[in-house]
Amino acid sequence: MAGLRPIKFRLLELFSDEKEHWNNEIVEQMQKEYGMNSNFGRDSLNFDILELASGGMLRSVESKVDEDGVYKKGFLLHKYVITDFGKTRASDACLMYV
Amino acid sequence: MDIRELKKLENKRKMNKGYMWALFCALLWGIWYIPGTIIWAVPPFDAMWINIADPTGAGTYESATAATLVVAVLISAFNALTVIIALLIWNGALGKFGEMKRTLKEFHPCSKWFFLASIFGGPMAILGSFIAIGFVGAGFAAVAALLYPVIGSVLAYYWYGEKISKRAALGIFVIIAGGLTIFVGGALAEISAGNIAWIGYAGGLMAALGWGIEGAIAGKGLDIAEPDVGIAIRFIGENLLWWVLIVPAVALAGYPIFEYAIAAFNPLSILVLAFAGITFGFCYVCWYKSFPLIGVGRGQGIGNLYGLCAVIFMYLFLAQVPAWTVLVGGALCVLGSFVMISEETGDMESLRGE
């Protein structure tokens, strides 16, 4: 796993295209990249996204109930977008924003 | 249930989880004062104190202050050592060594915050606590540090604009009033007895300042790191400070600290130190885990219940009976924490201003 950056750095990087992303899509991609394919790995990645959101770096713009069970059936899915504060912190972490 | 209700529920669940972590932190932190007190009477620390305090054996104890300080340094260093062992096992069990390596490599953007936090948390707060335990007593050490949320929340507010609601501010205020009741009560009794241990009170102040500053700095690093990993890195930093800088410096000053460090590897002292490491290590894990969920101010506020827990545990296990000021202050601490917990959190999505 050479060259991987800390998980939250990578999460901010994925959001730094300023597009809106669903949490389940991001989690799925991260699971592949970091080889965290267990349920524990999935929940722990989702928790990292939650932490970024509560820290004000991501903002939830849309939510829907996971009717089809693409992530966890009956739970809420969130669509997030990076905030200005998130961009600042991302550039602190030497990501692409300058 | 419509989506808005579900969202509210989810938010509430998140906040409750944060409060739960903070409460666990308070329990474990309170328990920590038991090994923190017992260790002073366990070999070789008891003999170490006597030998340094009374080098001629004349029973004059002319170097008692220096002895207490040096023993406090060695105990703090061992405390850091057992904590990092507990945390490495914890991170191993969670499979987070990979993430730890990745975070350590990012020194400039990220792990520097944890090293900075270790300076304030370790040689300032933890040493200050042991100094307060050594000079005044564990009950005092526990409640003296109760003031740290003021420093933590004010710093977090001015530095990175963390929101403090009126309700949270009120809760913090009541907790502080409780802390002050306990603190001033003890100090007044000592002053009237004509024998006040000023260094011990300075230790109590070091603990309050150190932990408050650490919390605010840690909040900054936690923005972009995982808490379990962050706390382990913070204790790696603290171990380096103790074992590479401070303990050798004390040895160079002529104190036989290394001899006693080696002598500390006996079953009883390892048992007590391990107890301290486990309670303190996991109290820190819980503390750091609560910050991203409920914010530094609230995390520290609820964590503050440790003062009450410590007083109860000291009474149950070491038969140290609290003064009435301690009971009144403790009750205020509980009240203040409930003021904070009962806040309606369903609408609160982020803890920061945009």
Short mmCIF file of all heavy atoms in Angstrom, two decimals, chain A residues 4-9 12 34 40 47-48 50-57 59-60 63-65 75-76 78 83 85 89 92-93, chain B residues 3 6-7 10 13-14 17 94 96 99 102-103 106 109-110 113 220-227 289 292-293 349-352 354:
data_model
loop_
_atom_site.label_atom_id
_atom_site.label_comp_id
_atom_site.label_asym_id
_atom_site.label_seq_id
_atom_site.Cartn_x
_atom_site.Cartn_y
_atom_site.Cartn_z
N LEU A 4 -0.11 5.61 -0.23
CA LEU A 4 -1.43 6.03 0.25
C LEU A 4 -1.26 7.11 1.31
O LEU A 4 -0.34 7.06 2.10
CB LEU A 4 -2.17 4.84 0.85
CG LEU A 4 -2.77 3.83 -0.11
CD1 LEU A 4 -3.39 2.69 0.66
CD2 LEU A 4 -3.82 4.49 -0.99
N ARG A 5 -2.19 8.06 1.32
CA ARG A 5 -2.14 9.10 2.34
C ARG A 5 -3.14 8.77 3.44
O ARG A 5 -3.97 7.88 3.28
CB ARG A 5 -2.47 10.45 1.69
CG ARG A 5 -1.54 10.77 0.54
CD ARG A 5 -1.56 12.23 0.21
NE ARG A 5 -0.89 13.01 1.24
CZ ARG A 5 -0.93 14.34 1.29
NH1 ARG A 5 -1.63 15.01 0.41
NH2 ARG A 5 -0.29 14.99 2.23
N PRO A 6 -3.05 9.45 4.60
CA PRO A 6 -4.03 9.16 5.66
C PRO A 6 -5.46 9.27 5.14
O PRO A 6 -5.74 10.05 4.22
CB PRO A 6 -3.74 10.26 6.69
CG PRO A 6 -2.31 10.59 6.50
CD PRO A 6 -2.06 10.44 5.02
N ILE A 7 -6.34 8.49 5.75
CA ILE A 7 -7.69 8.33 5.22
C ILE A 7 -8.43 9.65 5.04
O ILE A 7 -9.03 9.91 4.00
CB ILE A 7 -8.48 7.36 6.11
CG1 ILE A 7 -7.95 5.94 5.86
CG2 ILE A 7 -9.98 7.42 5.84
CD1 ILE A 7 -8.40 4.90 6.84
N LYS A 8 -8.35 10.52 6.05
CA LYS A 8 -9.10 11.77 5.93
C LYS A 8 -8.52 12.70 4.88
O LYS A 8 -9.24 13.48 4.26
CB LYS A 8 -9.18 12.47 7.29
CG LYS A 8 -10.16 11.80 8.23
CD LYS A 8 -10.41 12.61 9.46
CE LYS A 8 -11.40 11.89 10.35
NZ LYS A 8 -11.53 12.54 11.66
N PHE A 9 -7.20 12.61 4.65
CA PHE A 9 -6.57 13.39 3.57
C PHE A 9 -7.19 12.97 2.24
O PHE A 9 -7.56 13.79 1.41
CB PHE A 9 -5.06 13.13 3.52
CG PHE A 9 -4.26 13.78 4.60
CD1 PHE A 9 -4.74 13.87 5.89
CD2 PHE A 9 -3.00 14.30 4.33
CE1 PHE A 9 -3.99 14.46 6.89
CE2 PHE A 9 -2.24 14.89 5.32
CZ PHE A 9 -2.73 14.96 6.60
N LEU A 12 -10.80 14.11 1.77
CA LEU A 12 -10.89 15.51 1.36
C LEU A 12 -10.48 15.66 -0.11
O LEU A 12 -11.05 16.45 -0.85
CB LEU A 12 -9.99 16.38 2.24
CG LEU A 12 -10.51 16.68 3.64
CD1 LEU A 12 -9.48 17.47 4.43
CD2 LEU A 12 -11.81 17.47 3.56
N TYR A 34 -8.09 1.23 -0.07
CA TYR A 34 -7.36 0.93 1.16
C TYR A 34 -7.51 -0.53 1.58
O TYR A 34 -7.04 -0.91 2.64
CB TYR A 34 -7.82 1.86 2.29
CG TYR A 34 -7.30 3.28 2.13
CD1 TYR A 34 -7.89 4.15 1.23
CD2 TYR A 34 -6.21 3.73 2.87
CE1 TYR A 34 -7.41 5.43 1.06
CE2 TYR A 34 -5.73 5.02 2.71
CZ TYR A 34 -6.34 5.87 1.80
OH TYR A 34 -5.85 7.14 1.64
N PHE A 40 -16.61 -3.75 9.17
CA PHE A 40 -15.96 -2.83 10.11
C PHE A 40 -15.23 -1.72 9.35
O PHE A 40 -15.33 -0.54 9.71
CB PHE A 40 -14.98 -3.60 11.01
CG PHE A 40 -14.19 -2.70 11.92
CD1 PHE A 40 -14.79 -2.13 13.03
CD2 PHE A 40 -12.86 -2.42 11.65
CE1 PHE A 40 -14.07 -1.29 13.87
CE2 PHE A 40 -12.14 -1.57 12.49
CZ PHE A 40 -12.74 -1.01 13.59
N PHE A 47 -17.70 6.60 9.25
CA PHE A 47 -17.56 7.42 10.46
C PHE A 47 -16.58 8.56 10.22
O PHE A 47 -16.76 9.67 10.72
CB PHE A 47 -17.11 6.53 11.63
CG PHE A 47 -17.25 7.20 12.96
CD1 PHE A 47 -18.51 7.38 13.53
CD2 PHE A 47 -16.15 7.67 13.65
CE1 PHE A 47 -18.65 8.02 14.75
CE2 PHE A 47 -16.29 8.31 14.88
CZ PHE A 47 -17.54 8.47 15.43
N ASP A 48 -15.53 8.28 9.44
CA ASP A 48 -14.58 9.34 9.10
C ASP A 48 -15.26 10.47 8.32
O ASP A 48 -14.99 11.65 8.55
CB ASP A 48 -13.41 8.78 8.29
CG ASP A 48 -12.45 7.98 9.18
OD1 ASP A 48 -12.30 8.35 10.35
OD2 ASP A 48 -11.88 7.00 8.69
N LEU A 50 -18.44 11.20 8.53
CA LEU A 50 -19.27 11.88 9.53
C LEU A 50 -18.47 12.89 10.33
O LEU A 50 -18.92 14.00 10.61
CB LEU A 50 -19.82 10.83 10.50
CG LEU A 50 -21.23 10.36 10.31
CD1 LEU A 50 -21.56 9.29 11.33
CD2 LEU A 50 -22.18 11.54 10.48
N GLU A 51 -17.26 12.48 10.71
CA GLU A 51 -16.41 13.37 11.50
C GLU A 51 -16.02 14.60 10.70
O GLU A 51 -16.00 15.72 11.22
CB GLU A 51 -15.15 12.63 11.98
CG GLU A 51 -15.44 11.64 13.09
CD GLU A 51 -14.21 10.95 13.62
OE1 GLU A 51 -13.14 11.02 12.96
OE2 GLU A 51 -14.29 10.33 14.67
N LEU A 52 -15.72 14.40 9.42
CA LEU A 52 -15.38 15.55 8.57
C LEU A 52 -16.58 16.49 8.47
O LEU A 52 -16.43 17.72 8.51
CB LEU A 52 -14.96 15.09 7.18
CG LEU A 52 -13.58 14.43 7.07
CD1 LEU A 52 -13.35 13.91 5.66
CD2 LEU A 52 -12.48 15.40 7.46
N ALA A 53 -17.78 15.91 8.38
CA ALA A 53 -18.98 16.75 8.28
C ALA A 53 -19.22 17.51 9.58
O ALA A 53 -19.53 18.70 9.57
CB ALA A 53 -20.19 15.89 7.93
N SER A 54 -19.06 16.82 10.70
CA SER A 54 -19.32 17.53 11.97
C SER A 54 -18.22 18.54 12.26
O SER A 54 -18.43 19.50 12.99
CB SER A 54 -19.49 16.53 13.11
OG SER A 54 -18.27 16.20 13.68
N GLY A 55 -17.06 18.36 11.65
CA GLY A 55 -15.99 19.33 11.79
C GLY A 55 -16.16 20.50 10.83
O GLY A 55 -15.31 21.38 10.78
N GLY A 56 -17.24 20.48 10.05
CA GLY A 56 -17.53 21.60 9.16
C GLY A 56 -16.74 21.59 7.86
O GLY A 56 -16.71 22.58 7.14
N MET A 57 -16.09 20.48 7.52
CA MET A 57 -15.33 20.42 6.28
C MET A 57 -16.16 19.90 5.11
O MET A 57 -15.86 20.17 3.96
CB MET A 57 -14.08 19.57 6.48
CG MET A 57 -13.02 20.34 7.25
SD MET A 57 -11.74 19.30 7.91
CE MET A 57 -12.55 18.73 9.38
N ARG A 59 -20.40 19.38 3.87
CA ARG A 59 -21.75 19.79 4.18
C ARG A 59 -22.71 18.84 3.48
O ARG A 59 -22.52 18.52 2.32
CB ARG A 59 -21.95 21.23 3.69
CG ARG A 59 -23.26 21.87 4.04
CD ARG A 59 -23.15 23.38 3.85
NE ARG A 59 -22.53 23.72 2.55
CZ ARG A 59 -23.22 23.91 1.43
NH1 ARG A 59 -24.51 23.81 1.43
NH2 ARG A 59 -22.58 24.21 0.29
N SER A 60 -23.72 18.40 4.22
CA SER A 60 -24.70 17.50 3.62
C SER A 60 -25.69 18.34 2.81
O SER A 60 -26.27 19.29 3.33
CB SER A 60 -25.41 16.72 4.74
OG SER A 60 -26.53 16.07 4.22
N SER A 63 -30.31 14.20 1.35
CA SER A 63 -30.36 12.91 2.03
C SER A 63 -31.49 12.09 1.44
O SER A 63 -32.47 12.63 0.98
CB SER A 63 -30.61 13.08 3.53
OG SER A 63 -29.70 13.97 4.08
N LYS A 64 -31.31 10.77 1.44
CA LYS A 64 -32.43 9.91 1.05
C LYS A 64 -32.33 8.61 1.82
O LYS A 64 -31.25 8.24 2.30
CB LYS A 64 -32.42 9.67 -0.46
CG LYS A 64 -31.25 8.86 -0.96
CD LYS A 64 -31.34 8.60 -2.46
CE LYS A 64 -30.14 7.76 -2.91
NZ LYS A 64 -29.98 7.71 -4.36
N VAL A 65 -33.48 7.95 1.96
CA VAL A 65 -33.48 6.67 2.66
C VAL A 65 -32.98 5.59 1.71
O VAL A 65 -33.33 5.58 0.53
CB VAL A 65 -34.90 6.34 3.17
CG1 VAL A 65 -34.90 5.04 3.96
CG2 VAL A 65 -35.44 7.47 4.02
N PHE A 75 -31.29 2.88 6.35
CA PHE A 75 -30.54 4.00 6.90
C PHE A 75 -30.53 5.17 5.92
O PHE A 75 -30.90 5.02 4.75
CB PHE A 75 -29.09 3.58 7.20
CG PHE A 75 -28.95 2.87 8.51
CD1 PHE A 75 -29.38 1.56 8.65
CD2 PHE A 75 -28.38 3.51 9.60
CE1 PHE A 75 -29.27 0.90 9.86
CE2 PHE A 75 -28.26 2.87 10.80
CZ PHE A 75 -28.70 1.56 10.94
N LEU A 76 -30.07 6.33 6.40
CA LEU A 76 -30.01 7.50 5.53
C LEU A 76 -28.71 7.51 4.72
O LEU A 76 -27.66 7.16 5.24
CB LEU A 76 -30.05 8.78 6.37
CG LEU A 76 -31.41 9.33 6.79
CD1 LEU A 76 -31.20 10.60 7.58
CD2 LEU A 76 -32.28 9.60 5.59
N HIS A 78 -26.27 10.14 2.58
CA HIS A 78 -26.07 11.59 2.51
C HIS A 78 -25.22 11.96 1.30
O HIS A 78 -24.27 11.26 0.96
CB HIS A 78 -25.35 12.10 3.76
CG HIS A 78 -26.16 11.95 5.00
ND1 HIS A 78 -27.16 12.81 5.34
CD2 HIS A 78 -26.11 11.01 5.98
CE1 HIS A 78 -27.70 12.42 6.49
NE2 HIS A 78 -27.08 11.32 6.89
N THR A 83 -16.79 22.20 1.94
CA THR A 83 -17.04 23.60 2.32
C THR A 83 -15.75 24.41 2.12
O THR A 83 -14.70 23.85 1.85
CB THR A 83 -17.43 23.70 3.80
OG1 THR A 83 -16.33 23.23 4.57
CG2 THR A 83 -18.66 22.89 4.12
N PHE A 85 -14.17 25.95 4.43
CA PHE A 85 -13.28 25.53 5.50
C PHE A 85 -12.59 24.22 5.15
O PHE A 85 -11.39 24.03 5.38
CB PHE A 85 -14.07 25.39 6.80
CG PHE A 85 -13.25 24.93 7.97
CD1 PHE A 85 -12.27 25.75 8.51
CD2 PHE A 85 -13.44 23.67 8.52
CE1 PHE A 85 -11.50 25.33 9.58
CE2 PHE A 85 -12.68 23.24 9.59
CZ PHE A 85 -11.71 24.08 10.12
N ARG A 89 -8.58 23.43 4.89
CA ARG A 89 -7.90 22.33 5.59
C ARG A 89 -7.27 21.38 4.58
O ARG A 89 -6.22 20.82 4.83
CB ARG A 89 -8.87 21.58 6.50
CG ARG A 89 -9.43 22.38 7.61
CD ARG A 89 -8.34 22.95 8.50
NE ARG A 89 -7.89 22.00 9.50
CZ ARG A 89 -6.61 21.79 9.78
NH1 ARG A 89 -5.68 22.42 9.12
NH2 ARG A 89 -6.27 20.93 10.72
N ASP A 92 -4.13 22.91 3.58
CA ASP A 92 -3.16 22.73 4.67
C ASP A 92 -2.50 21.37 4.54
O ASP A 92 -1.34 21.19 4.87
CB ASP A 92 -3.87 22.75 6.03
CG ASP A 92 -4.29 24.15 6.43
OD1 ASP A 92 -3.89 25.09 5.73
OD2 ASP A 92 -5.04 24.27 7.40
N ALA A 93 -3.29 20.39 4.13
CA ALA A 93 -2.78 19.03 4.05
C ALA A 93 -2.08 18.79 2.71
O ALA A 93 -1.90 17.66 2.28
CB ALA A 93 -3.94 18.04 4.23
N ILE B 3 -38.03 12.21 5.84
CA ILE B 3 -36.57 12.30 5.79
C ILE B 3 -36.03 13.29 6.82
O ILE B 3 -34.97 13.09 7.39
CB ILE B 3 -36.14 12.65 4.35
CG1 ILE B 3 -34.72 12.18 4.12
CG2 ILE B 3 -36.27 14.12 4.08
CD1 ILE B 3 -34.54 11.70 2.73
N LEU B 6 -35.89 11.56 10.11
CA LEU B 6 -34.79 10.60 10.13
C LEU B 6 -33.45 11.30 10.33
O LEU B 6 -32.58 10.84 11.04
CB LEU B 6 -34.76 9.84 8.80
CG LEU B 6 -35.41 8.46 8.78
CD1 LEU B 6 -35.41 7.90 7.37
CD2 LEU B 6 -34.72 7.50 9.73
N LYS B 7 -33.33 12.45 9.67
CA LYS B 7 -32.09 13.21 9.74
C LYS B 7 -31.85 13.70 11.16
O LYS B 7 -30.74 13.63 11.69
CB LYS B 7 -32.20 14.40 8.79
CG LYS B 7 -30.92 14.64 8.01
CD LYS B 7 -31.12 15.70 6.98
CE LYS B 7 -29.78 16.35 6.68
NZ LYS B 7 -29.87 17.34 5.62
N GLU B 10 -30.82 10.88 13.28
CA GLU B 10 -29.43 10.47 13.03
C GLU B 10 -28.46 11.41 13.73
O GLU B 10 -27.48 10.99 14.35
CB GLU B 10 -29.16 10.48 11.53
CG GLU B 10 -27.87 9.78 11.16
CD GLU B 10 -27.63 9.79 9.67
OE1 GLU B 10 -27.46 10.90 9.13
OE2 GLU B 10 -27.63 8.71 9.06
N ARG B 13 -28.46 10.79 17.38
CA ARG B 13 -27.71 9.57 17.68
C ARG B 13 -26.21 9.87 17.74
O ARG B 13 -25.49 9.37 18.58
CB ARG B 13 -28.00 8.53 16.58
CG ARG B 13 -28.18 7.14 17.15
CD ARG B 13 -28.48 6.16 16.04
NE ARG B 13 -29.90 6.06 15.74
CZ ARG B 13 -30.38 5.74 14.54
NH1 ARG B 13 -29.57 5.55 13.52
NH2 ARG B 13 -31.67 5.63 14.34
N LYS B 14 -25.79 10.70 16.79
CA LYS B 14 -24.38 11.07 16.72
C LYS B 14 -23.94 11.81 17.99
O LYS B 14 -22.91 11.49 18.58
CB LYS B 14 -24.15 11.95 15.49
CG LYS B 14 -22.71 12.14 15.12
CD LYS B 14 -22.59 12.96 13.85
CE LYS B 14 -22.85 14.41 14.12
NZ LYS B 14 -22.84 15.24 12.91
N LYS B 17 -23.81 9.54 20.97
CA LYS B 17 -22.61 8.72 20.92
C LYS B 17 -21.42 9.51 21.46
O LYS B 17 -20.61 9.00 22.23
CB LYS B 17 -22.33 8.32 19.47
CG LYS B 17 -21.77 6.92 19.33
CD LYS B 17 -21.79 6.56 17.87
CE LYS B 17 -21.02 5.30 17.59
NZ LYS B 17 -21.10 4.94 16.18
N LEU B 94 -7.60 -2.84 16.22
CA LEU B 94 -8.47 -2.19 15.25
C LEU B 94 -7.89 -2.23 13.83
O LEU B 94 -8.52 -1.75 12.89
CB LEU B 94 -8.70 -0.72 15.63
CG LEU B 94 -9.46 -0.44 16.91
CD1 LEU B 94 -9.56 1.06 17.14
CD2 LEU B 94 -10.86 -1.04 16.84
N LYS B 96 -5.17 -0.60 12.76
CA LYS B 96 -4.89 0.77 12.33
C LYS B 96 -3.41 1.12 12.25
O LYS B 96 -3.06 2.30 12.18
CB LYS B 96 -5.62 1.75 13.24
CG LYS B 96 -7.10 1.76 12.97
CD LYS B 96 -7.84 2.89 13.60
CE LYS B 96 -9.29 2.89 13.11
NZ LYS B 96 -10.13 3.79 13.85
N GLU B 99 -2.67 3.03 9.04
CA GLU B 99 -3.10 4.42 9.10
C GLU B 99 -2.15 5.23 9.98
O GLU B 99 -1.87 6.40 9.72
CB GLU B 99 -4.54 4.50 9.62
CG GLU B 99 -5.10 5.90 9.78
CD GLU B 99 -5.36 6.63 8.46
OE1 GLU B 99 -5.17 6.02 7.40
OE2 GLU B 99 -5.73 7.82 8.51
N ARG B 102 0.86 6.09 7.95
CA ARG B 102 0.52 7.13 6.97
C ARG B 102 0.42 8.49 7.66
O ARG B 102 0.89 9.50 7.13
CB ARG B 102 -0.83 6.80 6.30
CG ARG B 102 -0.79 5.63 5.36
CD ARG B 102 -2.06 5.55 4.54
NE ARG B 102 -3.20 5.04 5.29
CZ ARG B 102 -3.56 3.76 5.35
NH1 ARG B 102 -2.85 2.86 4.71
NH2 ARG B 102 -4.60 3.38 6.05
N THR B 103 -0.19 8.52 8.87
CA THR B 103 -0.37 9.80 9.55
C THR B 103 0.96 10.35 10.05
O THR B 103 1.23 11.55 9.97
CB THR B 103 -1.36 9.65 10.72
OG1 THR B 103 -2.53 9.00 10.23
CG2 THR B 103 -1.74 10.99 11.31
N GLU B 106 2.94 12.29 7.60
CA GLU B 106 2.47 13.64 7.26
C GLU B 106 2.74 14.57 8.44
O GLU B 106 1.83 15.12 9.02
CB GLU B 106 0.97 13.60 6.95
CG GLU B 106 0.59 12.59 5.90
CD GLU B 106 0.91 13.05 4.49
OE1 GLU B 106 1.27 14.23 4.31
OE2 GLU B 106 0.81 12.23 3.57
N PRO B 109 1.52 18.69 7.91
CA PRO B 109 0.11 19.07 7.99
C PRO B 109 -0.60 18.49 9.20
O PRO B 109 -1.60 19.05 9.64
CB PRO B 109 -0.49 18.53 6.70
CG PRO B 109 0.42 17.46 6.26
CD PRO B 109 1.78 17.79 6.77
N CYS B 110 -0.14 17.39 9.72
CA CYS B 110 -1.01 16.69 10.65
C CYS B 110 -0.37 16.31 11.97
O CYS B 110 -0.75 16.80 13.02
CB CYS B 110 -1.54 15.43 9.96
SG CYS B 110 -2.87 14.67 10.83
N TRP B 113 0.58 18.52 15.13
CA TRP B 113 -0.39 18.95 16.14
C TRP B 113 -0.39 18.02 17.32
O TRP B 113 -0.58 18.44 18.45
CB TRP B 113 -1.79 19.05 15.53
CG TRP B 113 -1.89 20.12 14.50
CD1 TRP B 113 -2.10 19.96 13.16
CD2 TRP B 113 -1.74 21.53 14.70
NE1 TRP B 113 -2.10 21.17 12.53
CE2 TRP B 113 -1.89 22.16 13.45
CE3 TRP B 113 -1.51 22.32 15.83
CZ2 TRP B 113 -1.81 23.53 13.29
CZ3 TRP B 113 -1.43 23.69 15.67
CH2 TRP B 113 -1.58 24.29 14.41
N LYS B 220 -7.61 20.61 16.52
CA LYS B 220 -7.06 21.05 15.23
C LYS B 220 -6.48 19.87 14.44
O LYS B 220 -6.73 19.73 13.25
CB LYS B 220 -5.96 22.07 15.52
CG LYS B 220 -5.43 22.77 14.31
CD LYS B 220 -6.04 24.14 14.18
CE LYS B 220 -5.40 24.83 13.00
NZ LYS B 220 -6.25 25.88 12.47
N GLY B 221 -5.72 19.01 15.11
CA GLY B 221 -5.13 17.86 14.43
C GLY B 221 -6.18 16.83 14.05
O GLY B 221 -6.08 16.17 13.01
N LEU B 222 -7.21 16.71 14.89
CA LEU B 222 -8.23 15.69 14.64
C LEU B 222 -9.07 16.00 13.42
O LEU B 222 -9.73 15.12 12.89
CB LEU B 222 -9.15 15.56 15.85
CG LEU B 222 -8.58 14.80 17.04
CD1 LEU B 222 -9.57 14.80 18.17
CD2 LEU B 222 -8.24 13.38 16.65
N ASP B 223 -9.08 17.28 12.97
CA ASP B 223 -9.76 17.63 11.73
C ASP B 223 -9.42 16.64 10.63
O ASP B 223 -10.26 16.26 9.85
CB ASP B 223 -9.31 19.01 11.24
CG ASP B 223 -10.06 20.13 11.94
OD1 ASP B 223 -10.99 19.81 12.70
OD2 ASP B 223 -9.71 21.29 11.71
N ILE B 224 -8.14 16.29 10.57
CA ILE B 224 -7.71 15.52 9.41
C ILE B 224 -7.02 14.22 9.81
O ILE B 224 -6.22 13.66 9.06
CB ILE B 224 -6.79 16.37 8.50
CG1 ILE B 224 -5.74 17.09 9.33
CG2 ILE B 224 -7.62 17.35 7.68
CD1 ILE B 224 -4.75 17.89 8.49
N ALA B 225 -7.30 13.71 11.03
CA ALA B 225 -6.72 12.42 11.42
C ALA B 225 -7.76 11.57 12.12
O ALA B 225 -8.79 12.07 12.55
CB ALA B 225 -5.53 12.65 12.34
N GLU B 226 -7.48 10.29 12.24
CA GLU B 226 -8.36 9.41 12.99
C GLU B 226 -8.01 9.50 14.47
O GLU B 226 -6.84 9.50 14.84
CB GLU B 226 -8.16 7.98 12.52
CG GLU B 226 -8.70 7.71 11.14
CD GLU B 226 -9.36 6.36 11.07
OE1 GLU B 226 -8.78 5.41 11.62
OE2 GLU B 226 -10.45 6.27 10.49
N PRO B 227 -9.03 9.57 15.36
CA PRO B 227 -8.74 9.75 16.78
C PRO B 227 -7.84 8.68 17.39
O PRO B 227 -6.91 9.01 18.13
CB PRO B 227 -10.12 9.70 17.43
CG PRO B 227 -11.09 9.97 16.34
CD PRO B 227 -10.46 9.57 15.07
N LYS B 289 -12.26 10.64 20.97
CA LYS B 289 -13.36 10.19 20.11
C LYS B 289 -14.58 11.09 20.27
O LYS B 289 -15.39 11.21 19.37
CB LYS B 289 -13.74 8.75 20.47
CG LYS B 289 -12.97 7.72 19.68
CD LYS B 289 -13.69 6.39 19.75
CE LYS B 289 -12.92 5.30 19.05
NZ LYS B 289 -12.66 5.57 17.65
N PRO B 292 -14.77 15.08 17.88
CA PRO B 292 -15.38 15.34 16.57
C PRO B 292 -16.90 15.22 16.59
O PRO B 292 -17.57 15.78 15.73
CB PRO B 292 -14.79 14.25 15.66
CG PRO B 292 -13.60 13.74 16.37
CD PRO B 292 -13.91 13.90 17.83
N LEU B 293 -17.45 14.52 17.56
CA LEU B 293 -18.89 14.31 17.59
C LEU B 293 -19.63 15.42 18.32
O LEU B 293 -20.72 15.83 17.91
CB LEU B 293 -19.21 12.96 18.25
CG LEU B 293 -18.75 11.75 17.46
CD1 LEU B 293 -18.87 10.49 18.29
CD2 LEU B 293 -19.55 11.60 16.18
N GLU B 349 -26.05 20.48 12.89
CA GLU B 349 -25.42 19.60 11.92
C GLU B 349 -23.91 19.69 12.00
O GLU B 349 -23.20 18.71 11.92
CB GLU B 349 -25.88 19.98 10.52
CG GLU B 349 -25.80 18.82 9.58
CD GLU B 349 -26.64 19.08 8.37
OE1 GLU B 349 -27.85 18.80 8.40
OE2 GLU B 349 -26.08 19.60 7.42
N SER B 350 -23.43 20.90 12.16
CA SER B 350 -21.98 21.08 12.23
C SER B 350 -21.65 21.88 13.48
O SER B 350 -22.46 22.65 13.97
CB SER B 350 -21.49 21.82 10.99
OG SER B 350 -20.27 22.44 11.28
N LEU B 351 -20.44 21.68 13.99
CA LEU B 351 -20.04 22.37 15.20
C LEU B 351 -19.31 23.66 14.89
O LEU B 351 -18.91 24.38 15.77
CB LEU B 351 -19.13 21.46 16.03
CG LEU B 351 -19.76 20.14 16.42
CD1 LEU B 351 -18.71 19.14 16.80
CD2 LEU B 351 -20.73 20.35 17.55
N ARG B 352 -19.12 23.95 13.62
CA ARG B 352 -18.33 25.12 13.26
C ARG B 352 -19.19 26.12 12.50
O ARG B 352 -20.12 25.75 11.81
CB ARG B 352 -17.19 24.70 12.31
CG ARG B 352 -16.28 23.69 12.88
CD ARG B 352 -15.10 24.37 13.53
NE ARG B 352 -14.27 23.41 14.22
CZ ARG B 352 -13.47 22.57 13.61
NH1 ARG B 352 -13.37 22.58 12.32
NH2 ARG B 352 -12.76 21.72 14.30
N GLU B 354 -19.64 28.61 9.34
CA GLU B 354 -19.13 28.50 7.97
C GLU B 354 -18.56 29.81 7.51
O GLU B 354 -19.13 30.85 7.79
CB GLU B 354 -20.27 28.10 7.05
CG GLU B 354 -20.65 26.66 7.24
CD GLU B 354 -20.53 25.89 5.95
OE1 GLU B 354 -20.87 26.44 4.89
OE2 GLU B 354 -20.08 24.74 5.99
#
